[in-house]
Amino acid sequence: MNTIDLIFGAEHSTLPEKYAGHRTLIDWGRQFIESEVLPDLQRKNVIYLQAEQKSTCFFWIHRDAPQPVKESLKLLAYTGIVSEHATGIRATRSEVGTRYAVNLGCLLALEATPTATAFPIAKNLTPKRMGEYGAITAPITPC
């Protein structure tokens, strides 16, 4: 069972059937979060917490990301997988984009012992640390 199904159950899994015209966007967004964003955030949090630094559940999408990517993220926000945190945010190299927060349940579901890591991650969250996508750092391949 994948991370999003684990947290949201069948509700999110049936979206492609309910909204057949948006299947590609839904599937791409889910794949992007599960294979790119969540593993990246988990790796960063392991390093940050070992160094007693702030943790993250945030990622940033460049404002010039393809429109299908933006639509996919809107669908993920609608279902509660992510939430739009702030727009017009400057990231690395002064690029502008939108910052999103991943549902903490999705992030913590990746942990081997979430009861041991949940509190330190949640307590130390900062929006200043975020994965960056769609700029020079990690280009996005649209759906």
Side-chain angles (χ1 to χ4, degrees), residues 25 40 46 53 55 61 71-72 74 76 87 117 126 135 138 140 142:
L25 294 174
D40 181 48
V46 166
Q53 296 177 340
S55 59
I61 301 292
E71 294 301 319
S72 182
K74 285 180 187 176
L76 290 172
T87 58
T117 55
T126 181
I140 298 175

Side-chain angles (χ1 to χ4, degrees), residues 65-87:
Q67 193 60 34
V69 170
K70 294 175 184 177
E71 294 301 319
S72 182
L73 291 169
K74 285 180 187 176
L75 287 165
L76 290 172
Y78 173 75
T79 59
I81 308 258
V82 303
S83 59
E84 188 177 291
H85 188 261
T87 58

